[in-house]
Amino acid sequence: MSSSAADATGFANPGPMARLEEFVARDDALGQIVQRVADGETLHQIATSMEVPYGKLFEWIADDTNRMERYVRAKRLWAGSRADKVSVIADALDGEPTKGRVSAAKVQIDANLKLAKIWDRERYGDQVSIDGSLTHAP
């Protein structure tokens, strides 16, 4: 392989940090990441597929307010897709649901709702309101 040829990940540089530096220098780097996250990939999966250090990739995102906001927005989009899956999972139980299928569906539904709640508390989190008055008894 010549020194200018790309490796299996599509990068010209062979080392993990060199690949990361090459990637983040691209104009569309963040766009690629947020699209993949919104589509359901984790940042860890993305880093693994690119053979770059996950921690350093996250650090690059977190070091810039705009990048972090776009990443969080992508996670919220993903959270919405997880919440949308709940009805698909429940609807798949049509017919004669067995105890095993119901149990499996419950685990999937709970996991999807918990993930949605974590990444978009405003839409999927528990709504808490406190109403009352305090009185002091003598």
Side-chain angles (χ1 to χ4, degrees):
M1 180 193 301
S2 73
S3 61
S4 64
D7 67 7
T9 61
F11 293 103
N13 299 310
M17 286 304 295
R19 278 193 291 274
L20 179 63
E21 289 172 14
E22 181 182 336
F23 176 72
V24 300
R26 296 177 182 174
D27 290 338
D28 66 338
L30 185 61
Q32 286 183 33
I33 289 173
V34 298
Q35 183 61 55
R36 290 175 71 176
V37 167
D39 287 343
E41 284 185 80
T42 67
L43 193 58
H44 191 272
Q45 289 170 325
I46 295 166
T48 299
S49 73
M50 294 184 343
E51 297 180 16
V52 300
Y54 161 77
K56 292 294 184 181
L57 181 60
F58 184 79
E59 189 176 282
W60 174 75
I61 293 169
D63 281 348
D64 181 86
T65 304
N66 179 54
R67 286 193 296 256
M68 192 62 182
E69 286 174 5
R70 287 186 60 194
Y71 173 74
V72 169
R73 237 184 352 253
K75 289 298 274 188
R76 286 189 181 131
L77 282 170
W78 174 79
S81 74
R82 300 304 289 206
D84 289 345
K85 285 184 178 185
V86 168
S87 63
V88 173
I89 294 165
D91 289 347
L93 291 172
D94 284 349
E96 294 184 39
T98 64
K99 184 177 180 180
R101 286 182 60 215
V102 170
S103 294
K106 183 175 177 5
V107 169
Q108 290 175 329
I109 288 169
D110 287 348
N112 280 297
L113 290 176
K114 284 178 184 175
L115 289 168
K117 184 188 294 190
I118 289 169
W119 283 105
D120 196 344
R121 284 194 189 283
E122 191 173 304
R123 287 194 301 168
Y124 305 109
D126 296 328
Q127 303 299 315
V128 177
S129 66
I130 299 172
D131 190 24
S133 61
L134 297 174
T135 58
H136 178 53

